Every structure is written in structure tokens, then in C-alpha cells.
Amino acid sequence: MPRRLLIAALAAAFVVSALPSTSTMAQDGHHGQGHSENHDWYEKLKQPGSDASCCNGTINGVEGDCRPTRAYQKDNGNWYALLDGRWVPVPPKVVLKELAPDGRSHICANKTGSIFCFLGGSPKS
């Protein structure tokens, strides 16, 4: 194989391997990612201490507020979650006491970063 072709093939392989997969991005808490796969049970979630929904659903093609994310819990019980790709503290008042059907962490937050509901993974995800 000519050297130029080999270099081009290696460069292409590197670029493809460096791209995040959909499943990886879906766990970074990016708005809308992973919502449609879980909408059926998201729509049943209620904000703690309220009858308000955690999930706004999909309206006019705009994805809902709930999605899978990665999260961890500190020794003091406080949760931190990835919200649109950055780690943020989760206010204790929005943490739901139930587990998600898939056992992963999920966050419901709008595009401005206000968190409505959070489900921590089991044991940590």
C-alpha cells in the first residue's frame, strides 16, 4: 500500500474513533438526547412536593426536558450530574426517591439549566 494511502486511512480511522457515539452523548445530559426512548415513563414523573410534571413532552417537534445522564453521589449525599455536558450540583429538593426502570441516572431540566427533577442511578452511574 502506498504510504500516502496508508496515512490517509490511518487519519480517517482516528477521526472516526474520536467522534462520540450517540449512546455516549445521550448520557452527557444534553437537552433532548435520549428523551424519546424514555418518554412513556418520563411523562408520569411529578416534581417533588407538587403535581407538576417533570417532563414537558415533545411539542411541535421540540424535544422534552428529561434525558439520561451520568451522575455521582458524594459521601454527604449530594448528587452531581452532567447537564448539557458540564457537571452541576443537583438541588436536593428536586431529587426523586424512585429509581428509573433502566437503573441509570436521569435529569429533567430546561435549556436554561433549571432542574425540575432528578433520578439517581443505582448504585451510581
Side-chain angles (χ1 to χ4, degrees), residues 85-103:
R86 59 186 174 82
W87 289 102
V88 298
V90 176
K93 67 181 181 180
V94 302
V95 176
L96 299 174
K97 304 298 181 208
E98 60 198 272
L99 288 175
D102 62 5

Side-chain angles (χ1 to χ4, degrees), residues 1-11:
M1 177 181 284
R3 185 175 178 163
R4 271 187 165 165
L5 192 55
L6 178 61
I7 291 171
L10 288 173

Side-chain angles (χ1 to χ4, degrees), residues 9-22 24-25 28:
L10 288 173
F14 174 75
V15 168
V16 169
S17 68
L19 293 173
S21 70
T22 303
T24 301
M25 289 178 66
D28 286 343

Side-chain angles (χ1 to χ4, degrees), residues 14 20 26 46 49 55 59 62 67 80 87-88 95 117:
F14 174 75
K46 301 291 181 196
C55 173
I59 301 169
V62 177
R67 63 271 198 182
Y80 289 80
W87 289 102
V88 298
V95 176
C117 301

Side-chain angles (χ1 to χ4, degrees), residues 45 54-55 65-67 106-110 114-118:
L45 297 175
C54 294
C55 173
D65 291 331
C66 299
R67 63 271 198 182
H106 294 261
I107 196 165
C108 301
N110 63 19
S114 295
I115 303 172
F116 307 125
C117 301
F118 172 80

